[in-house]
Amino acid sequence: MERIIRKQLLYRTGVEYGDYALNHVLGCAHGCRYPCYAFLMNKRFRNITYEDWTKPKIVENAVELLEKELPKLKGKARYINMCFATDPFMYKQLDVVQLSCDVIALINSYGIPVRTLTKGVYTLNAAKVSNHPENSFGITLVSLSEAFRQKYEPNAAPIDERIKGLFAMHMCGFRTWVSIEPYPTPDIIEQDIEELLESISFVNRIVFGRWNYGKLSYPKPDQFYREIASKVLEFGEKKGIEVVIKKEIENVR
């Protein structure tokens, strides 16, 4: 796997449910075919093609940078997000997974928790190196359909493997969460949101967001997302799960 060098790794994120974040890999092998914010931004500002994006490059000096930057955040950062522009547990990318485990261990050694998000599978090593009681491990899950996954998330982990990996982290005693974003409209796939929610009823937190960055042909999408968001909120209340509805849905209520 190719390596790159960066001058800085940690940054303050503007994401509504974020704090500090890092991206220790450039690109993502999952090759998602629905509009991906990270790819679109890199395509716009770095002229990265889809082919380049799906050949991830590791930040070779990631640990070295963190050793310099983390002391400045001790006592300031509530947590560090991994990641908003790549995937820390990229499916079948062992170099990425090993670096992510090293990064988690280093961040935790400064008393700072991490919040991770993946379309890959959590490994036993991820549980072993995790050394902060407030670490939170998440997956992106927008459909239970393997046909949908194969079309829109071609190189990401199969749905069952993704959920089983998250459940394993839950059984290890870690906080877990799910990002249901970008949730597709019925013209893309007909599905039951309640079935999806039941499959991850063990989690502590759910973030729900709409299909973005592409023109929707589905009639009255705002109404559709309001209705689905209401079901997610109702499910969270019933199960005692924290629910975050993204602002682009909240703002059209």
Side-chain angles (χ1 to χ4, degrees):
M1 183 174 285
E2 287 187 52
R3 263 68 172 164
I4 60 173
I5 298 293
R6 282 189 172 156
K7 296 180 180 180
Q8 183 179 349
L9 202 63
L10 290 167
Y11 66 96
R12 191 72 182 262
T13 176
V15 174
E16 63 200 72
Y17 59 91
D19 190 21
Y20 286 87
L22 61 83
N23 296 296
H24 55 304
V25 181
L26 175 62
C28 180
H30 292 158
C32 294
R33 289 293 186 176
Y34 48 64
C36 168
Y37 175 81
F39 168 60
L40 290 176
M41 290 300 100
N42 277 275
K43 181 181 179 181
R44 178 179 178 184
F45 294 109
R46 300 188 187 198
N47 294 316
I48 290 180
T49 64
Y50 177 83
E51 288 70 25
D52 287 337
W53 181 254
T54 54
K55 297 174 183 176
K57 300 175 179 64
I58 279 180
V59 177
E60 185 175 10
N61 61 332
V63 171
E64 178 186 344
L65 287 173
L66 285 173
E67 287 174 339
K68 295 177 181 178
E69 296 172 4
L70 282 170
K72 302 173 185 178
L73 292 186
K74 193 172 183 180
K76 296 181 180 179
R78 292 181 293 130
Y79 52 86
I80 293 174
N81 289 278
M82 298 173 61
C83 306
F84 287 128
T86 189
D87 193 306
F89 289 90
M90 217 174 286
Y91 192 51
K92 295 185 177 180
Q93 300 295 324
L94 300 183
D95 289 347
V96 173
V97 172
Q98 182 57 58
L99 178 57
S100 295
C101 288
D102 293 343
V103 166
I104 289 171
L106 182 57
I107 292 172
N108 285 173
S109 73
Y110 282 86
I112 303 171
V114 296
R115 180 178 288 170
T116 68
L117 182 64
T118 187
K119 293 190 186 86
V121 178
Y122 287 110
T123 64
L124 180 60
N125 197 34
K128 287 181 177 178
V129 302
S130 184
N131 193 28
H132 196 289
E134 294 181 24
N135 282 353
S136 182
F137 297 93
I139 61 170
T140 295
L141 185 68
V142 299
S143 177
L144 297 179
S145 166
E146 266 299 297
F148 176 91
R149 196 274 304 170
Q150 290 168 7
K151 180 178 180 179
Y152 287 98
E153 304 169 343
N155 301 317
I159 302 302
D160 285 350
E161 290 186 37
R162 217 179 293 183
I163 296 173
K164 286 177 182 176
L166 187 65
F167 185 70
M169 298 303 279
H170 163 74
M171 292 301 291
C172 286
F174 298 111
R175 292 183 61 80
T176 54
W177 69 290
V178 171
S179 172
I180 307 177
E181 183 187 20
Y183 189 74
T185 48
D187 57 319
I188 297 171
I189 181 173
E190 287 275 1
Q191 59 182 357
D192 184 354
I193 185 62
E194 293 178 0
E195 182 183 3
L196 188 155
L197 292 169
E198 286 293 344
S199 74
I200 45 90
S201 60
F202 58 88
V203 301
N204 303 99
R205 190 169 187 258
I206 295 171
V207 176
F208 179 76
R210 61 183 291 158
W211 191 276
N212 284 316
Y213 315 116
K215 188 175 181 180
L216 287 172
S217 58
Y218 187 73
K220 299 182 179 179
D222 291 345
Q223 179 181 336
F224 168 75
Y225 283 114
R226 286 195 299 269
E227 291 172 355
I228 298 297
S230 294
K231 292 182 179 181
V232 176
L233 287 166
E234 183 180 346
F235 181 84
E237 185 176 353
K238 180 174 68 175
K239 297 289 186 178
I241 299 171
E242 177 191 0
V243 172
V244 176
I245 304 299
K246 296 293 290 292
K247 288 179 180 177
E248 61 266 22
I249 298 175
E250 288 281 0
N251 290 342
V252 296
R253 288 190 170 197

